[in-house]
Amino acid sequence: MNNNEKFISRKSPPERSARMVETIYGCKWSLTVYQLLASGVQRPGEMVRSVEGLSTKVLNQCLKKNIEFGILDKVIYNELPPRVEYQVTEFGQKFLHILDELEKLQQEIDA
């Protein structure tokens, strides 16, 4: 073996972030939820009313996944009746930027 030879080890994808992207794109409502949040809709009831075909059960599953990944935060106000709102975290902003870049890449491929 020559000292000038370099061996490159096999590169594998980052496990957690790859799973996160796959899960988000696998859920057909996640991107819609991000759109709603960007347009100022933060309450679950408003989200369900704003999107035809979106049920409360599916929305709650989607929101739960996004909270687990750290993309969204759930804010619970101590009021009667209780009020809950969702907002994008700082990490979520970075993640959404990556999703935007993936969308741009897809548009370039399509063109």
Side-chain angles (χ1 to χ4, degrees):
M1 182 170 103
N2 188 341
N3 284 344
N4 293 333
E5 292 178 9
K6 289 187 179 180
F7 288 99
I8 298 175
S9 63
R10 180 176 175 250
K11 180 150 175 81
S12 56
E15 197 172 306
R16 291 194 71 224
S17 59
R19 185 174 58 88
M20 186 170 37
V21 171
E22 181 180 32
T23 301
I24 296 303
Y25 271 115
C27 171
K28 73 177 191 176
W29 296 109
S30 288
L31 300 177
T32 304
V33 168
Y34 302 150
Q35 250 183 332
L36 290 168
L37 289 169
S39 65
V41 178
Q42 298 175 317
R43 299 182 70 187
E46 287 179 78
M47 291 179 187
V48 170
R49 287 189 294 275
S50 298
V51 181
E52 187 177 333
L54 178 59
S55 70
T56 303
K57 179 184 176 187
V58 172
L59 174 63
N60 287 334
Q61 290 172 343
C62 176
L63 292 170
K64 184 179 177 183
K65 282 183 203 172
N66 279 280
I67 291 169
E68 289 171 359
F69 286 133
I71 297 169
L72 299 179
D73 267 339
K74 181 178 184 177
V75 181
I76 303 171
Y77 295 92
N78 191 15
E79 301 174 351
L80 287 174
R83 180 170 55 118
V84 175
E85 292 183 353
Y86 292 87
Q87 58 192 19
V88 179
T89 63
E90 187 176 325
F91 168 75
Q93 293 289 345
K94 293 176 187 176
F95 183 74
L96 294 179
H97 178 71
I98 292 168
L99 293 182
D100 289 341
E101 292 300 316
L102 282 172
E103 181 66 30
K104 289 177 188 174
L105 180 62
Q106 184 62 51
Q107 289 171 359
E108 286 180 27
I109 292 169
D110 292 344

